[in-house]
Amino acid sequence: MRTTRFLTGITPSGTPHLGNYVGAIRPAVQSSQRADVQSFYFLADYHALIKCADPARVQRSTLEIAASWLAAGLDPDKVMLYRQSDVPEIPELCWLLTCVTGKGLLNRAHAYKASVDKNVAAGNDVDADVTAGLFMYPVLMAADILMFKADKVPVGRDQVQHLEMARDIASSFNHLYGELLVLPEVVIDDNVATLPGLDGRKMSKSYNNTIPLFTPREQLRKLINGITTDSRAPGEAKDVEGSALFQLFQAFASVEETAALAAQYAQGIAWGEAKQLVFERLDQEIAPMRARYESLMADPAQIERILRAGGERARALATPFTQQLREAVGLRSLAQAQAPQAAKAQKSALPQFKQYREADGKFYFKLLSATGQLLLQSTGFDAPKEAGQSIARLQQQGAAALAELGARLAPVEGVDPAEVTQALDQLLAAANA
């Protein structure tokens, strides 16, 4: 069974809340238990420095988030759990990617554009208070993903652009240096709940309306009792639509439990009684994890050992891959310097795919033989992801994928189909070696 690599990162810039648990932590833990998935989870502490200039807060948040993942059931022996800053190969890859990333691409990043728009509206210089870290955020995120050859990256819709940029950056690198980087696919789960906060808006640190995931039991009760409701009295039917209380309950309850509460809403349950039901249902799931969380928080050294061990395992993958990338870009030992002709021959030892964009705005790829002869040419794709997926299919299935992709492949005059089959077989054999 072929495993698929999933990669998830979380920035340690605050205390995890119920929205983080329902939207990211719980589904990630469930996914990590699948036999066909290889899971990578990391604490993006370099990213935290872009948002937070308080060292104590970064350290505290790193501890809280690591403890939250572990308390929720993430098994560090079965997944790759590591701290971003424990893998120095990631910032090195970030620099290699920086050297092939166009500034125009980064100009279009939503976070950067939002800062510019805010400055323009205020009459300030367009780049006032915009750090290079904010501007380069998409490249560091691309390095996080590409370092570990992630196949799929679960993200919210607000992060889709960064995944598309990571694919563009990887394509640029591969075009120059060969097919070394895996183009990741975005995964969006529309079934994951977005929880309302104390004021009914989306639960977010930005709105200061969150319920901390592992707040003490009585504090959890107090926070739920403070959730905004309407003025309908006991006995009056209440709407489940738009009810923050009902949405919180639904995110933790079974279908049957949710239907039962909906019936009580229709019968006019008192808000105080509804809040008590919500509190009891949430605490039923959270209480066992809270005990584990408190035990971990009381022993930070244990968490440090887990993260250090995860970092070593991550580096066991990152170090040889980084050496391969260094060789590809020319950062090589001078003792093994070759004559230009010999170096060119070595680079051309295998057929190569090249992905590129034409003036018509469409994305193409071609297959070149070891001597540079054009063997296979694609038609135009509307998105780089589609071209990359076709290349991946040919690399993974060899000549067997030709019939499936026939409509997307343009004939190359004078090329014997046997030459194409042979080239694909060579690539397949090299990948499986």
Side-chain angles (χ1 to χ4, degrees):
M1 180 189 302
R2 181 183 181 275
T3 59
T4 301
R5 285 189 177 180
F6 276 71
L7 182 141
T8 299
I10 185 167
T11 303
S13 58
T15 299
H17 54 73
L18 292 182
N20 299 140
Y21 173 69
V22 170
I25 297 175
R26 185 171 64 184
V29 171
Q30 293 170 346
S31 174
S32 73
Q33 296 166 352
R34 290 170 47 187
D36 61 337
V37 167
Q38 185 180 16
S39 299
F40 289 70
Y41 300 96
F42 69 97
L43 299 164
D45 49 355
Y46 280 139
H47 286 293
L49 303 182
I50 299 171
K51 305 176 182 179
C52 180
D54 182 349
R57 183 182 178 192
V58 171
Q59 181 188 36
R60 177 70 181 181
S61 181
T62 301
L63 178 65
E64 290 176 340
I65 291 173
S68 297
W69 282 104
L70 295 167
L74 200 66
D75 186 344
D77 293 328
K78 295 182 179 179
V79 304
M80 195 77 74
L81 175 64
Y82 58 96
R83 188 168 35 201
Q84 185 185 30
S85 59
D86 284 338
V87 187
E89 290 82 4
I90 292 173
E92 179 171 352
L93 175 56
C94 181
W95 178 250
L96 298 184
L97 299 178
T98 297
C99 295
V100 302
T101 301
K103 181 176 180 292
L105 178 68
L106 300 180
N107 285 342
R108 296 192 290 274
H110 295 323
Y112 173 66
K113 288 178 64 178
S115 294
V116 169
D117 291 345
K118 181 179 178 181
N119 283 328
V120 171
N124 298 326
D125 179 85
V126 294
D127 286 326
D129 297 323
V130 176
T131 66
L134 173 65
F135 188 70
M136 295 298 299
Y137 174 95
V139 186
L140 180 55
M141 183 172 174
D144 293 325
I145 297 166
L146 300 173
M147 173 57 72
F148 295 106
K149 303 181 182 180
D151 298 302
K152 299 182 182 294
V153 182
V155 295
R157 292 195 175 276
D158 60 334
Q159 290 288 323
V160 169
Q161 186 198 42
H162 287 138
L163 262 294
E164 293 173 345
M165 294 172 81
R167 292 178 58 87
D168 288 342
I169 292 168
S171 295
S172 296
F173 187 95
N174 287 348
H175 178 68
L176 290 172
Y177 301 114
E179 297 295 319
L180 295 167
L181 302 177
V182 173
L183 274 61
E185 295 183 23
V186 63
V187 177
I188 300 173
D189 188 350
D190 288 322
N191 295 319
V192 171
T194 298
L195 290 192
L198 298 171
D199 57 2
R201 294 183 294 175
K202 175 185 174 182
M203 190 176 293
S204 170
K205 292 187 286 287
S206 301
Y207 297 145
N208 194 31
N209 67 351
T210 63
I211 300 176
L213 175 55
F214 293 123
T215 193
R217 175 182 167 86
E218 290 310 311
Q219 179 64 15
L220 176 63
R221 187 199 304 273
K222 181 178 178 180
L223 289 170
I224 290 176
N225 284 338
I227 291 175
T228 302
T229 54
D230 61 36
S231 59
R232 276 178 275 193
E236 289 187 76
K238 296 168 177 62
D239 296 327
V240 298
E241 188 69 30
S243 169
L245 271 178
F246 189 83
Q247 290 177 56
L248 278 172
F249 185 88
Q250 187 176 31
F252 286 82
S254 67
V255 173
E256 293 76 17
E257 290 170 326
T258 301
L261 182 59
Q264 289 178 280
Y265 262 57
Q267 294 163 9
I269 187 175
W271 285 126
E273 185 180 350
K275 290 178 178 180
Q276 180 62 23
L277 288 174
V278 172
F279 162 72
E280 290 174 353
R281 186 60 187 85
L282 267 61
D283 195 58
Q284 177 183 331
E285 181 167 334
I286 293 171
M289 296 187 295
R290 185 191 296 122
R292 171 66 173 150
Y293 174 81
E294 291 172 351
S295 174
L296 287 163
M297 289 297 291
D299 186 9
Q302 179 183 357
I303 298 177
E304 179 67 19
R305 286 192 297 271
I306 291 171
L307 293 179
R308 289 282 185 181
E312 291 175 5
R313 291 172 59 206
R315 292 201 68 192
L317 298 175
T319 300
F321 185 46
T322 299
Q323 185 57 40
Q324 184 182 4
L325 297 174
R326 288 169 65 91
E327 289 279 338
V329 302
L331 304 179
R332 305 165 179 162
S333 168
L334 300 182
Q336 299 174 350
Q338 298 171 297
Q341 294 82 0
K344 183 176 180 180
Q346 183 183 56
K347 183 177 180 181
S348 303
L350 286 173
Q352 286 188 332
F353 281 101
K354 298 288 185 181
Q355 183 175 335
Y356 56 96
R357 190 175 190 178
E358 287 286 15
D360 61 2
K362 292 186 178 294
F363 297 85
Y364 296 78
F365 69 83
K366 56 188 176 182
L367 174 64
L368 304 176
S369 72
T371 58
Q373 177 192 0
L374 178 63
L375 299 177
L376 196 64
Q377 173 67 61
S378 78
T379 57
F381 294 84
D382 293 329
K385 176 180 178 179
E386 297 173 358
Q389 288 174 335
S390 297
I391 292 173
R393 194 171 296 126
L394 289 164
Q395 290 173 324
Q396 294 166 8
Q397 301 175 15
L402 288 173
E404 182 183 349
L405 295 172
R408 304 313 304 264
L409 302 175
V412 178
E413 186 177 352
V415 173
D416 186 341
E419 293 181 80
V420 178
T421 299
Q422 182 181 15
L424 291 172
D425 287 344
Q426 282 181 276
L427 289 173
L428 188 59
N432 294 327

